[in-house]
Amino acid sequence: QVQLVESGGGLVQAGGSLRLSCAASEETSSIYFMGWFRQAPGKEREFVAQVGWVSGNTAYADSVKGRFTISRDLAKHTVHLQMNSLKSEDTAIYYCAVRTNTASRYNSWGQGTQVTVSS
């Protein structure tokens, strides 16, 4: 199982930016997708964005399209989520996740990092 460590969360005003990072601590040859999910208080966890580890293809939730950008650094085994034009509704715990080559769903998760957007 791939171990993941997130960083970069914090408090920001509406309209501001934050950059989240997620480092995979083990061999990444088994990674198919890396993604970000989030969970707001009282709500279910939802998909935010993902990137194909080899292909580099990206996908986004409609709610973040045009504001968030996911990218990966193969040499550093890291994925980033650049979040711009943040809104109060982006407030949530953000989780990094991995879907390995043989899995049908995301099967490794980070511990989560809090993002709070003040209006």
PDB file of all heavy atoms in Angstrom, residues 2-5 21-25 28 31-37 47 49-54 57-59 70-74 77-80 96-100 106:
ATOM      1  N   VAL A   2       0.533   2.194  -0.848  1.00  0.00           N
ATOM      2  CA  VAL A   2       1.310   3.420  -0.958  1.00  0.00           C
ATOM      3  C   VAL A   2       0.995   4.326   0.232  1.00  0.00           C
ATOM      4  O   VAL A   2      -0.162   4.562   0.554  1.00  0.00           O
ATOM      5  CB  VAL A   2       0.986   4.142  -2.273  1.00  0.00           C
ATOM      6  CG1 VAL A   2       1.782   5.435  -2.378  1.00  0.00           C
ATOM      7  CG2 VAL A   2       1.260   3.231  -3.467  1.00  0.00           C
ATOM      8  N   GLN A   3       2.044   4.834   0.862  1.00  0.00           N
ATOM      9  CA  GLN A   3       1.871   5.777   1.970  1.00  0.00           C
ATOM     10  C   GLN A   3       1.876   7.199   1.416  1.00  0.00           C
ATOM     11  O   GLN A   3       2.695   7.539   0.558  1.00  0.00           O
ATOM     12  CB  GLN A   3       3.000   5.609   2.985  1.00  0.00           C
ATOM     13  CG  GLN A   3       3.120   4.187   3.537  1.00  0.00           C
ATOM     14  CD  GLN A   3       1.890   3.765   4.289  1.00  0.00           C
ATOM     15  OE1 GLN A   3       1.373   4.491   5.131  1.00  0.00           O
ATOM     16  NE2 GLN A   3       1.392   2.560   3.992  1.00  0.00           N
ATOM     17  N   LEU A   4       0.966   8.023   1.928  1.00  0.00           N
ATOM     18  CA  LEU A   4       0.800   9.374   1.411  1.00  0.00           C
ATOM     19  C   LEU A   4       0.870  10.381   2.547  1.00  0.00           C
ATOM     20  O   LEU A   4       0.294  10.157   3.614  1.00  0.00           O
ATOM     21  CB  LEU A   4      -0.551   9.504   0.708  1.00  0.00           C
ATOM     22  CG  LEU A   4      -0.799   8.538  -0.449  1.00  0.00           C
ATOM     23  CD1 LEU A   4      -2.259   8.584  -0.879  1.00  0.00           C
ATOM     24  CD2 LEU A   4       0.103   8.858  -1.625  1.00  0.00           C
ATOM     25  N   VAL A   5       1.553  11.498   2.304  1.00  0.00           N
ATOM     26  CA  VAL A   5       1.661  12.565   3.291  1.00  0.00           C
ATOM     27  C   VAL A   5       1.297  13.880   2.621  1.00  0.00           C
ATOM     28  O   VAL A   5       1.954  14.301   1.667  1.00  0.00           O
ATOM     29  CB  VAL A   5       3.083  12.651   3.868  1.00  0.00           C
ATOM     30  CG1 VAL A   5       3.176  13.799   4.862  1.00  0.00           C
ATOM     31  CG2 VAL A   5       3.469  11.328   4.531  1.00  0.00           C
ATOM     32  N   SER A  21       0.130  19.789  -1.357  1.00  0.00           N
ATOM     33  CA  SER A  21       1.076  18.816  -1.900  1.00  0.00           C
ATOM     34  C   SER A  21       0.856  17.468  -1.245  1.00  0.00           C
ATOM     35  O   SER A  21       0.410  17.393  -0.090  1.00  0.00           O
ATOM     36  CB  SER A  21       2.520  19.274  -1.666  1.00  0.00           C
ATOM     37  OG  SER A  21       2.785  20.475  -2.347  1.00  0.00           O
ATOM     38  N   CYS A  22       1.182  16.431  -1.982  1.00  0.00           N
ATOM     39  CA  CYS A  22       1.034  15.072  -1.461  1.00  0.00           C
ATOM     40  C   CYS A  22       2.211  14.248  -1.957  1.00  0.00           C
ATOM     41  O   CYS A  22       2.401  14.112  -3.174  1.00  0.00           O
ATOM     42  CB  CYS A  22      -0.279  14.463  -1.931  1.00  0.00           C
ATOM     43  SG  CYS A  22      -0.495  12.737  -1.476  1.00  0.00           S
ATOM     44  N   ALA A  23       2.962  13.723  -1.015  1.00  0.00           N
ATOM     45  CA  ALA A  23       4.134  12.929  -1.359  1.00  0.00           C
ATOM     46  C   ALA A  23       3.860  11.458  -1.123  1.00  0.00           C
ATOM     47  O   ALA A  23       3.375  11.077  -0.054  1.00  0.00           O
ATOM     48  CB  ALA A  23       5.324  13.374  -0.521  1.00  0.00           C
ATOM     49  N   ALA A  24       4.182  10.653  -2.135  1.00  0.00           N
ATOM     50  CA  ALA A  24       4.074   9.204  -2.009  1.00  0.00           C
ATOM     51  C   ALA A  24       5.409   8.680  -1.503  1.00  0.00           C
ATOM     52  O   ALA A  24       6.455   8.942  -2.098  1.00  0.00           O
ATOM     53  CB  ALA A  24       3.734   8.582  -3.353  1.00  0.00           C
ATOM     54  N   SER A  25       5.370   7.944  -0.408  1.00  0.00           N
ATOM     55  CA  SER A  25       6.616   7.570   0.272  1.00  0.00           C
ATOM     56  C   SER A  25       7.231   6.271  -0.212  1.00  0.00           C
ATOM     57  O   SER A  25       8.323   5.936   0.190  1.00  0.00           O
ATOM     58  CB  SER A  25       6.363   7.468   1.783  1.00  0.00           C
ATOM     59  OG  SER A  25       5.401   6.473   2.042  1.00  0.00           O
ATOM     60  N   THR A  28       6.392   4.064  -6.686  1.00  0.00           N
ATOM     61  CA  THR A  28       5.183   4.565  -7.336  1.00  0.00           C
ATOM     62  C   THR A  28       4.856   3.849  -8.641  1.00  0.00           C
ATOM     63  O   THR A  28       3.944   4.287  -9.353  1.00  0.00           O
ATOM     64  CB  THR A  28       5.339   6.065  -7.608  1.00  0.00           C
ATOM     65  OG1 THR A  28       6.506   6.268  -8.403  1.00  0.00           O
ATOM     66  CG2 THR A  28       5.460   6.847  -6.312  1.00  0.00           C
ATOM     67  N   ILE A  31       1.190   2.998  -9.249  1.00  0.00           N
ATOM     68  CA  ILE A  31       0.161   4.046  -9.243  1.00  0.00           C
ATOM     69  C   ILE A  31      -0.454   4.222 -10.630  1.00  0.00           C
ATOM     70  O   ILE A  31       0.257   4.361 -11.615  1.00  0.00           O
ATOM     71  CB  ILE A  31       0.738   5.379  -8.744  1.00  0.00           C
ATOM     72  CG1 ILE A  31       1.164   5.259  -7.282  1.00  0.00           C
ATOM     73  CG2 ILE A  31      -0.303   6.485  -8.894  1.00  0.00           C
ATOM     74  CD1 ILE A  31       1.811   6.515  -6.734  1.00  0.00           C
ATOM     75  N   TYR A  32      -1.772   4.248 -10.664  1.00  0.00           N
ATOM     76  CA  TYR A  32      -2.527   4.491 -11.889  1.00  0.00           C
ATOM     77  C   TYR A  32      -3.031   5.930 -11.909  1.00  0.00           C
ATOM     78  O   TYR A  32      -2.838   6.658 -12.874  1.00  0.00           O
ATOM     79  CB  TYR A  32      -3.670   3.490 -11.981  1.00  0.00           C
ATOM     80  CG  TYR A  32      -4.456   3.499 -13.265  1.00  0.00           C
ATOM     81  CD1 TYR A  32      -3.879   3.858 -14.472  1.00  0.00           C
ATOM     82  CD2 TYR A  32      -5.798   3.113 -13.277  1.00  0.00           C
ATOM     83  CE1 TYR A  32      -4.607   3.859 -15.650  1.00  0.00           C
ATOM     84  CE2 TYR A  32      -6.528   3.097 -14.448  1.00  0.00           C
ATOM     85  CZ  TYR A  32      -5.932   3.474 -15.631  1.00  0.00           C
ATOM     86  OH  TYR A  32      -6.652   3.464 -16.801  1.00  0.00           O
ATOM     87  N   PHE A  33      -3.693   6.316 -10.837  1.00  0.00           N
ATOM     88  CA  PHE A  33      -4.167   7.683 -10.672  1.00  0.00           C
ATOM     89  C   PHE A  33      -3.774   8.197  -9.284  1.00  0.00           C
ATOM     90  O   PHE A  33      -3.741   7.439  -8.317  1.00  0.00           O
ATOM     91  CB  PHE A  33      -5.695   7.773 -10.772  1.00  0.00           C
ATOM     92  CG  PHE A  33      -6.242   7.645 -12.148  1.00  0.00           C
ATOM     93  CD1 PHE A  33      -6.867   6.481 -12.551  1.00  0.00           C
ATOM     94  CD2 PHE A  33      -6.160   8.699 -13.047  1.00  0.00           C
ATOM     95  CE1 PHE A  33      -7.388   6.362 -13.834  1.00  0.00           C
ATOM     96  CE2 PHE A  33      -6.688   8.586 -14.333  1.00  0.00           C
ATOM     97  CZ  PHE A  33      -7.299   7.408 -14.724  1.00  0.00           C
ATOM     98  N   MET A  34      -3.510   9.494  -9.198  1.00  0.00           N
ATOM     99  CA  MET A  34      -3.469  10.176  -7.910  1.00  0.00           C
ATOM    100  C   MET A  34      -4.524  11.255  -7.949  1.00  0.00           C
ATOM    101  O   MET A  34      -4.715  11.912  -8.985  1.00  0.00           O
ATOM    102  CB  MET A  34      -2.091  10.781  -7.627  1.00  0.00           C
ATOM    103  CG  MET A  34      -1.062   9.747  -7.193  1.00  0.00           C
ATOM    104  SD  MET A  34       0.463  10.465  -6.572  1.00  0.00           S
ATOM    105  CE  MET A  34      -0.010  10.974  -4.905  1.00  0.00           C
ATOM    106  N   GLY A  35      -5.201  11.421  -6.831  1.00  0.00           N
ATOM    107  CA  GLY A  35      -6.301  12.364  -6.825  1.00  0.00           C
ATOM    108  C   GLY A  35      -6.457  13.082  -5.507  1.00  0.00           C
ATOM    109  O   GLY A  35      -5.788  12.762  -4.515  1.00  0.00           O
ATOM    110  N   TRP A  36      -7.336  14.069  -5.531  1.00  0.00           N
ATOM    111  CA  TRP A  36      -7.710  14.804  -4.337  1.00  0.00           C
ATOM    112  C   TRP A  36      -9.218  14.697  -4.139  1.00  0.00           C
ATOM    113  O   TRP A  36      -9.987  14.818  -5.100  1.00  0.00           O
ATOM    114  CB  TRP A  36      -7.316  16.269  -4.454  1.00  0.00           C
ATOM    115  CG  TRP A  36      -5.841  16.510  -4.388  1.00  0.00           C
ATOM    116  CD1 TRP A  36      -4.974  16.596  -5.431  1.00  0.00           C
ATOM    117  CD2 TRP A  36      -5.054  16.673  -3.208  1.00  0.00           C
ATOM    118  NE1 TRP A  36      -3.701  16.810  -4.981  1.00  0.00           N
ATOM    119  CE2 TRP A  36      -3.723  16.860  -3.609  1.00  0.00           C
ATOM    120  CE3 TRP A  36      -5.356  16.688  -1.840  1.00  0.00           C
ATOM    121  CZ2 TRP A  36      -2.687  17.060  -2.697  1.00  0.00           C
ATOM    122  CZ3 TRP A  36      -4.322  16.886  -0.931  1.00  0.00           C
ATOM    123  CH2 TRP A  36      -3.002  17.064  -1.370  1.00  0.00           C
ATOM    124  N   PHE A  37      -9.597  14.480  -2.900  1.00  0.00           N
ATOM    125  CA  PHE A  37     -10.987  14.457  -2.487  1.00  0.00           C
ATOM    126  C   PHE A  37     -11.128  15.431  -1.327  1.00  0.00           C
ATOM    127  O   PHE A  37     -10.136  15.846  -0.727  1.00  0.00           O
ATOM    128  CB  PHE A  37     -11.394  13.040  -2.044  1.00  0.00           C
ATOM    129  CG  PHE A  37     -11.424  12.039  -3.166  1.00  0.00           C
ATOM    130  CD1 PHE A  37     -10.236  11.535  -3.705  1.00  0.00           C
ATOM    131  CD2 PHE A  37     -12.626  11.571  -3.670  1.00  0.00           C
ATOM    132  CE1 PHE A  37     -10.250  10.611  -4.733  1.00  0.00           C
ATOM    133  CE2 PHE A  37     -12.660  10.638  -4.696  1.00  0.00           C
ATOM    134  CZ  PHE A  37     -11.473  10.166  -5.226  1.00  0.00           C
ATOM    135  N   PHE A  47     -15.190  13.899  -4.817  1.00  0.00           N
ATOM    136  CA  PHE A  47     -14.062  13.973  -5.725  1.00  0.00           C
ATOM    137  C   PHE A  47     -13.783  15.429  -6.073  1.00  0.00           C
ATOM    138  O   PHE A  47     -14.710  16.220  -6.288  1.00  0.00           O
ATOM    139  CB  PHE A  47     -14.389  13.179  -6.994  1.00  0.00           C
ATOM    140  CG  PHE A  47     -13.441  13.399  -8.135  1.00  0.00           C
ATOM    141  CD1 PHE A  47     -12.217  12.754  -8.154  1.00  0.00           C
ATOM    142  CD2 PHE A  47     -13.769  14.240  -9.186  1.00  0.00           C
ATOM    143  CE1 PHE A  47     -11.335  12.941  -9.210  1.00  0.00           C
ATOM    144  CE2 PHE A  47     -12.910  14.440 -10.240  1.00  0.00           C
ATOM    145  CZ  PHE A  47     -11.685  13.789 -10.254  1.00  0.00           C
ATOM    146  N   ALA A  49     -10.269  16.292  -7.931  1.00  0.00           N
ATOM    147  CA  ALA A  49      -9.453  16.257  -9.144  1.00  0.00           C
ATOM    148  C   ALA A  49      -8.590  15.007  -9.137  1.00  0.00           C
ATOM    149  O   ALA A  49      -8.324  14.440  -8.081  1.00  0.00           O
ATOM    150  CB  ALA A  49      -8.562  17.503  -9.232  1.00  0.00           C
ATOM    151  N   GLN A  50      -8.162  14.599 -10.338  1.00  0.00           N
ATOM    152  CA  GLN A  50      -7.236  13.487 -10.431  1.00  0.00           C
ATOM    153  C   GLN A  50      -6.311  13.661 -11.621  1.00  0.00           C
ATOM    154  O   GLN A  50      -6.639  14.399 -12.576  1.00  0.00           O
ATOM    155  CB  GLN A  50      -7.967  12.146 -10.529  1.00  0.00           C
ATOM    156  CG  GLN A  50      -8.669  11.906 -11.849  1.00  0.00           C
ATOM    157  CD  GLN A  50      -9.339  10.541 -11.910  1.00  0.00           C
ATOM    158  OE1 GLN A  50      -9.632   9.906 -10.904  1.00  0.00           O
ATOM    159  NE2 GLN A  50      -9.589  10.072 -13.125  1.00  0.00           N
ATOM    160  N   VAL A  51      -5.168  12.968 -11.544  1.00  0.00           N
ATOM    161  CA  VAL A  51      -4.212  12.992 -12.642  1.00  0.00           C
ATOM    162  C   VAL A  51      -3.710  11.578 -12.890  1.00  0.00           C
ATOM    163  O   VAL A  51      -3.424  10.835 -11.938  1.00  0.00           O
ATOM    164  CB  VAL A  51      -3.042  13.961 -12.332  1.00  0.00           C
ATOM    165  CG1 VAL A  51      -2.281  13.561 -11.075  1.00  0.00           C
ATOM    166  CG2 VAL A  51      -2.097  14.059 -13.517  1.00  0.00           C
ATOM    167  N   GLY A  52      -3.633  11.193 -14.156  1.00  0.00           N
ATOM    168  CA  GLY A  52      -3.058   9.908 -14.511  1.00  0.00           C
ATOM    169  C   GLY A  52      -1.560   9.950 -14.252  1.00  0.00           C
ATOM    170  O   GLY A  52      -0.888  10.858 -14.750  1.00  0.00           O
ATOM    171  N   TRP A  53      -1.055   8.969 -13.469  1.00  0.00           N
ATOM    172  CA  TRP A  53       0.337   9.058 -13.055  1.00  0.00           C
ATOM    173  C   TRP A  53       1.298   8.961 -14.242  1.00  0.00           C
ATOM    174  O   TRP A  53       2.299   9.664 -14.295  1.00  0.00           O
ATOM    175  CB  TRP A  53       0.647   7.943 -12.053  1.00  0.00           C
ATOM    176  CG  TRP A  53       1.966   8.115 -11.372  1.00  0.00           C
ATOM    177  CD1 TRP A  53       3.061   7.317 -11.476  1.00  0.00           C
ATOM    178  CD2 TRP A  53       2.333   9.181 -10.480  1.00  0.00           C
ATOM    179  NE1 TRP A  53       4.092   7.812 -10.713  1.00  0.00           N
ATOM    180  CE2 TRP A  53       3.665   8.960 -10.095  1.00  0.00           C
ATOM    181  CE3 TRP A  53       1.665  10.303  -9.994  1.00  0.00           C
ATOM    182  CZ2 TRP A  53       4.336   9.812  -9.213  1.00  0.00           C
ATOM    183  CZ3 TRP A  53       2.334  11.146  -9.128  1.00  0.00           C
ATOM    184  CH2 TRP A  53       3.658  10.898  -8.753  1.00  0.00           C
ATOM    185  N   VAL A  54       0.972   8.121 -15.208  1.00  0.00           N
ATOM    186  CA  VAL A  54       1.814   7.986 -16.400  1.00  0.00           C
ATOM    187  C   VAL A  54       1.333   8.909 -17.519  1.00  0.00           C
ATOM    188  O   VAL A  54       2.123   9.616 -18.142  1.00  0.00           O
ATOM    189  CB  VAL A  54       1.824   6.523 -16.880  1.00  0.00           C
ATOM    190  CG1 VAL A  54       2.576   6.393 -18.197  1.00  0.00           C
ATOM    191  CG2 VAL A  54       2.451   5.614 -15.826  1.00  0.00           C
ATOM    192  N   ASN A  57      -3.059  12.766 -17.816  1.00  0.00           N
ATOM    193  CA  ASN A  57      -4.415  13.251 -18.087  1.00  0.00           C
ATOM    194  C   ASN A  57      -5.086  13.679 -16.783  1.00  0.00           C
ATOM    195  O   ASN A  57      -4.940  13.038 -15.753  1.00  0.00           O
ATOM    196  CB  ASN A  57      -5.246  12.151 -18.748  1.00  0.00           C
ATOM    197  CG  ASN A  57      -4.742  11.824 -20.134  1.00  0.00           C
ATOM    198  OD1 ASN A  57      -4.147  12.664 -20.802  1.00  0.00           O
ATOM    199  ND2 ASN A  57      -4.968  10.602 -20.588  1.00  0.00           N
ATOM    200  N   THR A  58      -5.838  14.756 -16.850  1.00  0.00           N
ATOM    201  CA  THR A  58      -6.471  15.300 -15.656  1.00  0.00           C
ATOM    202  C   THR A  58      -7.994  15.319 -15.787  1.00  0.00           C
ATOM    203  O   THR A  58      -8.546  15.315 -16.886  1.00  0.00           O
ATOM    204  CB  THR A  58      -5.993  16.726 -15.380  1.00  0.00           C
ATOM    205  OG1 THR A  58      -6.291  17.555 -16.518  1.00  0.00           O
ATOM    206  CG2 THR A  58      -4.493  16.761 -15.116  1.00  0.00           C
ATOM    207  N   ALA A  59      -8.645  15.325 -14.626  1.00  0.00           N
ATOM    208  CA  ALA A  59     -10.094  15.451 -14.558  1.00  0.00           C
ATOM    209  C   ALA A  59     -10.434  16.246 -13.300  1.00  0.00           C
ATOM    210  O   ALA A  59      -9.725  16.151 -12.296  1.00  0.00           O
ATOM    211  CB  ALA A  59     -10.765  14.081 -14.526  1.00  0.00           C
ATOM    212  N   ILE A  70      -4.437  20.446 -10.933  1.00  0.00           N
ATOM    213  CA  ILE A  70      -3.680  19.329 -10.376  1.00  0.00           C
ATOM    214  C   ILE A  70      -2.486  19.059 -11.273  1.00  0.00           C
ATOM    215  O   ILE A  70      -2.573  19.162 -12.508  1.00  0.00           O
ATOM    216  CB  ILE A  70      -4.565  18.068 -10.228  1.00  0.00           C
ATOM    217  CG1 ILE A  70      -3.837  16.989  -9.434  1.00  0.00           C
ATOM    218  CG2 ILE A  70      -5.046  17.551 -11.577  1.00  0.00           C
ATOM    219  CD1 ILE A  70      -4.722  15.809  -9.034  1.00  0.00           C
ATOM    220  N   SER A  71      -1.357  18.744 -10.641  1.00  0.00           N
ATOM    221  CA  SER A  71      -0.151  18.432 -11.398  1.00  0.00           C
ATOM    222  C   SER A  71       0.655  17.399 -10.633  1.00  0.00           C
ATOM    223  O   SER A  71       0.440  17.207  -9.431  1.00  0.00           O
ATOM    224  CB  SER A  71       0.687  19.696 -11.628  1.00  0.00           C
ATOM    225  OG  SER A  71       1.099  20.250 -10.401  1.00  0.00           O
ATOM    226  N   ARG A  72       1.573  16.725 -11.351  1.00  0.00           N
ATOM    227  CA  ARG A  72       2.404  15.745 -10.659  1.00  0.00           C
ATOM    228  C   ARG A  72       3.859  15.945 -11.025  1.00  0.00           C
ATOM    229  O   ARG A  72       4.178  16.426 -12.105  1.00  0.00           O
ATOM    230  CB  ARG A  72       1.973  14.292 -10.963  1.00  0.00           C
ATOM    231  CG  ARG A  72       2.555  13.709 -12.265  1.00  0.00           C
ATOM    232  CD  ARG A  72       1.511  13.535 -13.288  1.00  0.00           C
ATOM    233  NE  ARG A  72       1.965  12.684 -14.379  1.00  0.00           N
ATOM    234  CZ  ARG A  72       2.487  13.142 -15.510  1.00  0.00           C
ATOM    235  NH1 ARG A  72       2.630  14.433 -15.694  1.00  0.00           N
ATOM    236  NH2 ARG A  72       2.852  12.301 -16.476  1.00  0.00           N
ATOM    237  N   ASP A  73       4.711  15.568 -10.072  1.00  0.00           N
ATOM    238  CA  ASP A  73       6.154  15.619 -10.247  1.00  0.00           C
ATOM    239  C   ASP A  73       6.656  14.189 -10.116  1.00  0.00           C
ATOM    240  O   ASP A  73       6.762  13.662  -9.009  1.00  0.00           O
ATOM    241  CB  ASP A  73       6.778  16.539  -9.186  1.00  0.00           C
ATOM    242  CG  ASP A  73       8.266  16.727  -9.365  1.00  0.00           C
ATOM    243  OD1 ASP A  73       8.939  15.791  -9.874  1.00  0.00           O
ATOM    244  OD2 ASP A  73       8.775  17.785  -8.979  1.00  0.00           O
ATOM    245  N   LEU A  74       6.938  13.568 -11.256  1.00  0.00           N
ATOM    246  CA  LEU A  74       7.309  12.160 -11.232  1.00  0.00           C
ATOM    247  C   LEU A  74       8.614  11.922 -10.474  1.00  0.00           C
ATOM    248  O   LEU A  74       8.754  10.926  -9.768  1.00  0.00           O
ATOM    249  CB  LEU A  74       7.427  11.626 -12.659  1.00  0.00           C
ATOM    250  CG  LEU A  74       6.137  11.635 -13.484  1.00  0.00           C
ATOM    251  CD1 LEU A  74       6.416  11.148 -14.904  1.00  0.00           C
ATOM    252  CD2 LEU A  74       5.079  10.783 -12.824  1.00  0.00           C
ATOM    253  N   HIS A  77       7.818  12.080  -6.833  1.00  0.00           N
ATOM    254  CA  HIS A  77       6.695  11.240  -6.398  1.00  0.00           C
ATOM    255  C   HIS A  77       5.646  12.079  -5.674  1.00  0.00           C
ATOM    256  O   HIS A  77       5.117  11.678  -4.638  1.00  0.00           O
ATOM    257  CB  HIS A  77       7.178  10.114  -5.464  1.00  0.00           C
ATOM    258  CG  HIS A  77       8.214   9.226  -6.069  1.00  0.00           C
ATOM    259  ND1 HIS A  77       8.921   8.303  -5.342  1.00  0.00           N
ATOM    260  CD2 HIS A  77       8.673   9.110  -7.337  1.00  0.00           C
ATOM    261  CE1 HIS A  77       9.772   7.678  -6.132  1.00  0.00           C
ATOM    262  NE2 HIS A  77       9.642   8.144  -7.340  1.00  0.00           N
ATOM    263  N   THR A  78       5.354  13.235  -6.233  1.00  0.00           N
ATOM    264  CA  THR A  78       4.490  14.200  -5.558  1.00  0.00           C
ATOM    265  C   THR A  78       3.398  14.686  -6.507  1.00  0.00           C
ATOM    266  O   THR A  78       3.629  14.831  -7.710  1.00  0.00           O
ATOM    267  CB  THR A  78       5.325  15.396  -5.069  1.00  0.00           C
ATOM    268  OG1 THR A  78       6.315  14.922  -4.145  1.00  0.00           O
ATOM    269  CG2 THR A  78       4.457  16.425  -4.379  1.00  0.00           C
ATOM    270  N   VAL A  79       2.236  14.945  -5.945  1.00  0.00           N
ATOM    271  CA  VAL A  79       1.157  15.576  -6.685  1.00  0.00           C
ATOM    272  C   VAL A  79       0.778  16.860  -5.960  1.00  0.00           C
ATOM    273  O   VAL A  79       0.852  16.939  -4.737  1.00  0.00           O
ATOM    274  CB  VAL A  79      -0.054  14.630  -6.814  1.00  0.00           C
ATOM    275  CG1 VAL A  79      -0.683  14.332  -5.464  1.00  0.00           C
ATOM    276  CG2 VAL A  79      -1.082  15.187  -7.774  1.00  0.00           C
ATOM    277  N   HIS A  80       0.422  17.874  -6.739  1.00  0.00           N
ATOM    278  CA  HIS A  80       0.068  19.176  -6.182  1.00  0.00           C
ATOM    279  C   HIS A  80      -1.352  19.544  -6.606  1.00  0.00           C
ATOM    280  O   HIS A  80      -1.827  19.123  -7.662  1.00  0.00           O
ATOM    281  CB  HIS A  80       1.025  20.253  -6.693  1.00  0.00           C
ATOM    282  CG  HIS A  80       2.464  19.970  -6.415  1.00  0.00           C
ATOM    283  ND1 HIS A  80       3.021  20.073  -5.156  1.00  0.00           N
ATOM    284  CD2 HIS A  80       3.464  19.573  -7.249  1.00  0.00           C
ATOM    285  CE1 HIS A  80       4.301  19.766  -5.218  1.00  0.00           C
ATOM    286  NE2 HIS A  80       4.605  19.449  -6.465  1.00  0.00           N
ATOM    287  N   CYS A  96      -5.561  13.352  -0.062  1.00  0.00           N
ATOM    288  CA  CYS A  96      -4.862  12.820  -1.221  1.00  0.00           C
ATOM    289  C   CYS A  96      -5.132  11.319  -1.287  1.00  0.00           C
ATOM    290  O   CYS A  96      -5.262  10.663  -0.243  1.00  0.00           O
ATOM    291  CB  CYS A  96      -3.368  13.084  -1.056  1.00  0.00           C
ATOM    292  SG  CYS A  96      -2.320  12.384  -2.340  1.00  0.00           S
ATOM    293  N   ALA A  97      -5.212  10.784  -2.494  1.00  0.00           N
ATOM    294  CA  ALA A  97      -5.512   9.368  -2.636  1.00  0.00           C
ATOM    295  C   ALA A  97      -4.826   8.795  -3.868  1.00  0.00           C
ATOM    296  O   ALA A  97      -4.507   9.513  -4.818  1.00  0.00           O
ATOM    297  CB  ALA A  97      -7.017   9.153  -2.727  1.00  0.00           C
ATOM    298  N   VAL A  98      -4.639   7.489  -3.812  1.00  0.00           N
ATOM    299  CA  VAL A  98      -4.014   6.759  -4.908  1.00  0.00           C
ATOM    300  C   VAL A  98      -4.915   5.613  -5.332  1.00  0.00           C
ATOM    301  O   VAL A  98      -5.527   4.932  -4.496  1.00  0.00           O
ATOM    302  CB  VAL A  98      -2.640   6.203  -4.476  1.00  0.00           C
ATOM    303  CG1 VAL A  98      -2.217   5.030  -5.350  1.00  0.00           C
ATOM    304  CG2 VAL A  98      -1.580   7.290  -4.540  1.00  0.00           C
ATOM    305  N   ARG A  99      -5.010   5.433  -6.628  1.00  0.00           N
ATOM    306  CA  ARG A  99      -5.628   4.221  -7.181  1.00  0.00           C
ATOM    307  C   ARG A  99      -4.512   3.464  -7.890  1.00  0.00           C
ATOM    308  O   ARG A  99      -3.890   3.998  -8.805  1.00  0.00           O
ATOM    309  CB  ARG A  99      -6.751   4.565  -8.151  1.00  0.00           C
ATOM    310  CG  ARG A  99      -7.378   3.360  -8.818  1.00  0.00           C
ATOM    311  CD  ARG A  99      -8.416   3.769  -9.840  1.00  0.00           C
ATOM    312  NE  ARG A  99      -8.718   2.683 -10.754  1.00  0.00           N
ATOM    313  CZ  ARG A  99      -9.487   2.814 -11.840  1.00  0.00           C
ATOM    314  NH1 ARG A  99     -10.054   3.985 -12.096  1.00  0.00           N
ATOM    315  NH2 ARG A  99      -9.700   1.782 -12.626  1.00  0.00           N
ATOM    316  N   THR A 100      -4.263   2.263  -7.447  1.00  0.00           N
ATOM    317  CA  THR A 100      -3.194   1.471  -8.050  1.00  0.00           C
ATOM    318  C   THR A 100      -3.683   0.747  -9.306  1.00  0.00           C
ATOM    319  O   THR A 100      -4.875   0.694  -9.586  1.00  0.00           O
ATOM    320  CB  THR A 100      -2.630   0.468  -7.045  1.00  0.00           C
ATOM    321  OG1 THR A 100      -3.705  -0.321  -6.513  1.00  0.00           O
ATOM    322  CG2 THR A 100      -1.917   1.183  -5.906  1.00  0.00           C
ATOM    323  N   TYR A 106     -10.069   4.087  -5.691  1.00  0.00           N
ATOM    324  CA  TYR A 106      -8.964   4.607  -4.892  1.00  0.00           C
ATOM    325  C   TYR A 106      -8.795   3.734  -3.651  1.00  0.00           C
ATOM    326  O   TYR A 106      -9.765   3.447  -2.946  1.00  0.00           O
ATOM    327  CB  TYR A 106      -9.224   6.064  -4.515  1.00  0.00           C
ATOM    328  CG  TYR A 106      -8.900   7.001  -5.644  1.00  0.00           C
ATOM    329  CD1 TYR A 106      -9.837   7.280  -6.631  1.00  0.00           C
ATOM    330  CD2 TYR A 106      -7.628   7.584  -5.753  1.00  0.00           C
ATOM    331  CE1 TYR A 106      -9.517   8.126  -7.693  1.00  0.00           C
ATOM    332  CE2 TYR A 106      -7.310   8.418  -6.804  1.00  0.00           C
ATOM    333  CZ  TYR A 106      -8.257   8.679  -7.774  1.00  0.00           C
ATOM    334  OH  TYR A 106      -7.939   9.499  -8.818  1.00  0.00           O
TER     335      TYR A 106
END
